[in-house]
């Protein structure tokens, strides 16, 4: 595996971790059922951060000619 493939693989691991986080925050927000507005705002802010991180990682991967992973990690599926 060359350096470029290794970098793309590592960045895609980070993308998948952020996909896990986004899915987790979505689930947490849905389970609040509007009961705690302050907690919902915190989760939404953390989700927004994860979306931003994913966008930055996606940009780097695409600029280097790699394909972006759109899945979650195995642990995130549990």
């Amino acid at each position: 595996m060359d350096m470029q493939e290794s970098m793309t693989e590592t960045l895609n691991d980070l993308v998948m971790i952020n996909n896990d986080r986004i899915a987790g925050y979505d689930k947490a927000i849905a389970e609040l059922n509007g009961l705690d507005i302050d907690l919902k705002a915190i989760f939404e802010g953390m989700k927004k951060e994860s979306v931003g991180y994913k966008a930055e990682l996606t940009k780097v991967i695409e600029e280097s000619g790699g394909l972006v992973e759109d899945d979650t990690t195995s642990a995130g599926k549990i």
Side-chain angles (χ1 to χ4, degrees):
M1 177 182 300
D2 69 0
M3 179 71 158
Q4 184 67 31
E5 289 173 347
S6 178
M7 181 185 79
T8 299
E9 184 178 311
T10 300
L11 292 175
N12 267 317
D13 287 343
L14 295 172
V15 167
M16 290 191 302
I17 289 168
N18 279 283
N19 289 341
D20 288 344
R21 291 172 48 129
I22 293 165
Y25 294 133
D26 281 338
K27 183 176 180 182
I29 291 166
E31 289 182 6
L32 285 174
N33 294 322
L35 297 175
D36 191 333
I37 295 170
D38 293 331
L39 189 55
K40 180 180 178 185
I42 291 170
F43 287 152
E44 286 174 343
M46 295 171 85
K47 176 184 171 185
K48 184 177 178 181
E49 286 180 358
S50 295
V51 168
Y53 298 147
K54 179 181 173 182
E56 290 179 36
L57 291 163
T58 296
K59 181 180 176 185
V60 172
I61 293 168
E62 289 175 343
E63 286 176 351
S64 66
L67 297 175
V68 179
E69 187 65 50
D70 197 34
D71 202 5
T72 57
T73 64
S74 298
K77 293 177 183 170
I78 296 175

